Amino acid sequence: MPFSSRNLIIVVVVAAIAYKLLVDRNESFPPIQPDQDTVLVTGSSSGIGKHAALSLVKEGFTVFAGVRCPEDGEAILKSAQDFDLDISKLSPIILDVTNSDQIR
């Protein structure tokens, strides 16, 4: 089943509710430290995923960018270079989350 905008809205709402419940319980979260934290972004071939991956690199995170094919990996690295980002912090990986063999 394709991931629709309706599903995205549901995921965001559920995440917001979970966050609110944790905050209300006075749960503390460890501080985010871009220079020490690593992030996996799926859907980095285009759109929001690509923008998120590049934005996180800009903020100093080490990013593993899940792309569908090697050409998409080359494209995101070129985009990072075009925006003068530190490409040593960006590692494209072939990852198709719709393929269960690739996510095990």
Side-chain angles (χ1 to χ4, degrees):
M1 175 172 114
F3 197 74
S4 69
S5 58
R6 180 178 181 275
N7 291 345
L8 179 60
I9 292 169
I10 292 169
V11 169
V12 170
V13 169
V14 169
I17 292 169
Y19 177 80
K20 176 74 171 129
L21 291 172
L22 289 172
V23 168
D24 286 348
R25 291 181 46 201
N26 293 321
E27 296 288 333
S28 62
F29 297 95
I32 296 173
Q33 300 175 339
D35 60 332
Q36 297 176 11
D37 289 334
T38 302
V39 180
L40 169 65
V41 179
T42 61
S44 296
S45 295
S46 64
I48 294 171
K50 185 174 184 179
H51 181 78
L54 294 172
S55 296
L56 289 164
V57 169
K58 182 179 179 182
E59 293 300 317
F61 288 92
T62 298
V63 176
F64 288 95
V67 296
R68 290 188 180 171
C69 64
E71 294 80 17
D72 292 341
E74 293 168 12
I76 195 169
L77 285 171
K78 183 174 180 338
S79 293
Q81 288 175 327
D82 291 346
F83 288 111
D84 200 29
L85 301 177
D86 182 0
I87 62 169
S88 70
K89 296 243 177 206
L90 179 62
S91 299
I93 57 171
I94 307 303
L95 176 64
D96 183 354
V97 297
T98 63
N99 181 341
S100 60
D101 292 334
Q102 290 189 12
I103 57 174
R104 288 182 185 199

